Amino acid sequence: MELRRTVAPAVALAALSAAVAGGFTRLVTGGDWLALVLGAAVLPHAIGIATRRRSALLQLGAWAAGLLAYLTWAVVPASTRFGLPTGSTIHEIGRRLEAG
């Protein structure tokens, strides 16, 4: 019963975020972007569920690692070495952030 009370709201929020991301299909043409947006919408909720009973510092570290992993694999996968971020990955993410 305890698991249902703690995880169910987070799963519902993840489903709502996915539905909102899917709703953008009416605004944007093509479907290449949908998987990236769904991943960005659901990943923070998944990390939150996984680290729910952990310390705030561990949660923050998990979210930072999740953001870096998502940006690496979804936005700049060509800058990795065997799927792992390198110095050029961080440089490329910074360059794209500066460019807007």
Side-chain angles (χ1 to χ4, degrees):
M1 184 64 137
E2 179 67 25
L3 184 65
R4 185 171 35 164
R5 282 192 299 162
T6 59
V7 175
V11 171
L13 282 173
L16 179 64
S17 296
V20 169
F24 281 105
T25 57
R26 306 228 351 140
L27 300 173
V28 181
T29 59
D32 296 341
W33 59 273
L34 186 58
L36 294 174
V37 173
L38 283 174
V42 174
L43 182 65
H45 297 291
I47 293 171
I49 290 170
T51 60
R52 179 169 295 278
R53 300 212 182 262
R54 306 291 188 248
S55 70
L57 187 61
L58 183 69
Q59 287 180 353
L60 184 62
W63 282 332
L67 176 63
L68 177 63
Y70 183 77
L71 288 175
T72 299
W73 295 322
V75 179
V76 290
S79 67
T80 64
R81 181 176 211 130
F82 302 111
L84 298 173
T86 63
S88 63
T89 304
I90 304 299
H91 176 72
E92 181 65 22
I93 290 171
R95 188 186 68 75
R96 289 188 180 204
L97 286 173
E98 286 178 1

